[in-house]
């Protein structure tokens, strides 16, 4: 059974940093690209980043480019999202999702940016 | 960036009704190389993570009931639920994966009367 478990969220002040993790199981993690997708409270879905299976390519939404970094450790079956210079508009539930089609999603982790 | 426009934003129907919702993209999602439309539909039930229903505009994921039907090509796409059930209460999102950045529509909220 595919499982994706996010962690690392919390309440932080504007300008601070946070690193999210997503631990994968139930599939060959090293064979799939992975996404981070977020959802602000009561809002729609916003794709923010993708990393290829071998980390050879990374893509970002303009809203996070230069502030967020997606990475992965295939030996640990773990996806990361390093978030710097956080803003109030980054407040959202953050999901990791598997594969180009995002066919499996985690339960999400909440990030709140507030003074 | 490709803009995805969904309509209506919400609709209320009775169980057993047929429902159609629209998704339009600002550019064609048809890949001439692979002869497929790079368009997915997701279902997000209250309090849950989104779930992939349909990819390549019309290919249902394993386990998705056949009452969910995706159609369309190019820039115009439709999700039809042939006979709505109470458990279909959700927000439905379309998403293009033709080019980066990937983009979602704003969603159609389905309510059951």
């Amino acid at each position: 059974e595919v499982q994706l478990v996010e962690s690392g969220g919390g309440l932080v002040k504007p300008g601070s940093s946070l690193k999210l993790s997503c631990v994968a199981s139930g599939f060959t993690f090293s064979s799939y690209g992975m996404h981070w997708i977020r959802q602000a409270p009561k809002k729609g879905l916003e794709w923010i980043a993708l990393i290829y299976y071998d980390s050879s390519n990374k893509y970002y939404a303009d809203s996070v480019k230069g502030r967020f970094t997606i990475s992965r450790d295939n030996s640990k079956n773990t996806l990361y999202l390093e978030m710097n210079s956080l803003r109030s508009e980054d407040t959202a539930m953050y999901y990791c999702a598997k594969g180009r089609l995002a066919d499996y999603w985690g339960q999400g982790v909440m990030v709140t940016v507030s003074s | 960036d490709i803009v995805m426009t969904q309509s209506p934003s919400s609709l209320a129907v009775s169980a057993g009704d047929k429902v159609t919702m629209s998704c339009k993209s600002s550019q064609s999602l048809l890949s001439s190389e692979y002869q497929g439309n790079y368009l997915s539909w997701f279902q997000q039930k209250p309090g849950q993570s989104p779930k992939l229903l349909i990819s390549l505009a019309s290919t249902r994921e394993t386990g998705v009931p056949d009452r969910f039907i995706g159609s369309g090509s190019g820039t115009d796409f439709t999700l039809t639920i042939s006979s709505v059930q109470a458990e279909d209460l959700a927000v439905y999102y379309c998403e293009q994966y033709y080019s980066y950045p990937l983009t979602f529509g704003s969603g159609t909220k389905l309510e059951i009367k």
Side-chain angles (χ1 to χ4, degrees), chain B residues 5-19:
Chain B
T5 303
Q6 287 188 248
S7 62
S9 57
S10 66
L11 66 165
V13 300
S14 300
D17 285 354
K18 178 180 177 180
V19 164

Side-chain angles (χ1 to χ4, degrees), chain B residues 42-95:
Chain B
F42 292 86
Q43 176 193 61
Q44 187 176 29
K45 294 183 177 181
Q48 295 186 16
S49 304
K51 172 188 173 183
L52 178 64
L53 294 179
I54 288 169
S55 60
L56 282 176
S58 61
T59 302
R60 269 189 303 273
E61 289 295 291
T62 302
V64 173
D66 59 8
R67 64 180 182 272
F68 291 93
I69 303 161
S71 61
S73 184
T75 61
D76 290 349
F77 302 91
T78 300
L79 177 65
T80 300
I81 309 174
S82 60
S83 178
V84 169
Q85 306 300 303
E87 63 261 31
D88 299 336
L89 166 72
V91 180
Y92 294 85
Y93 295 95
C94 61
E95 179 230 17

Side-chain angles (χ1 to χ4, degrees), chain A residues 5 7 27 32 59 86 89 94:
Chain A
V5 180
S7 62
F27 66 102
Y32 290 88
Y59 298 93
L86 282 163
E89 55 263 38
Y94 285 74

Side-chain angles (χ1 to χ4, degrees), chain B residues 4-49:
Chain B
M4 306 299 291
T5 303
Q6 287 188 248
S7 62
S9 57
S10 66
L11 66 165
V13 300
S14 300
D17 285 354
K18 178 180 177 180
V19 164
T20 60
M21 57 190 77
S22 170
C23 174
K24 295 183 188 296
S25 58
S26 60
Q27 300 172 218
S28 175
L29 305 182
L30 178 61
S31 168
S32 55
E33 182 178 4
Y34 299 106
Q35 297 188 348
N37 288 277
Y38 289 177
L39 185 284
S40 289
W41 289 96
F42 292 86
Q43 176 193 61
Q44 187 176 29
K45 294 183 177 181
Q48 295 186 16
S49 304

Side-chain angles (χ1 to χ4, degrees), chain A residues 6 35 37 39 43-48 50 52 59-62 95 100-108, chain B residues 1 34 38 40 42 44 48-52 55-56 61 93 95 97-106:
Chain A
E6 301 95 336
H35 303 267
I37 298 164
Q39 186 170 34
K43 299 294 185 182
L45 300 170
E46 180 187 16
W47 174 85
I48 56 173
L50 172 119
Y52 274 22
Y59 298 93
Y60 297 93
D62 286 346
Y95 298 98
R100 185 180 186 193
L101 296 182
D103 55 359
Y104 288 91
W105 296 52
Q107 84 288 351
Chain B
D1 297 2
Y34 299 106
Y38 289 177
S40 289
F42 292 86
Q44 187 176 29
Q48 295 186 16
S49 304
K51 172 188 173 183
L52 178 64
S55 60
L56 282 176
E61 289 295 291
Y93 295 95
E95 179 230 17
Y97 53 100
Y98 183 86
S99 67
Y100 297 103
L102 308 188
T103 46
F104 289 90
S106 56

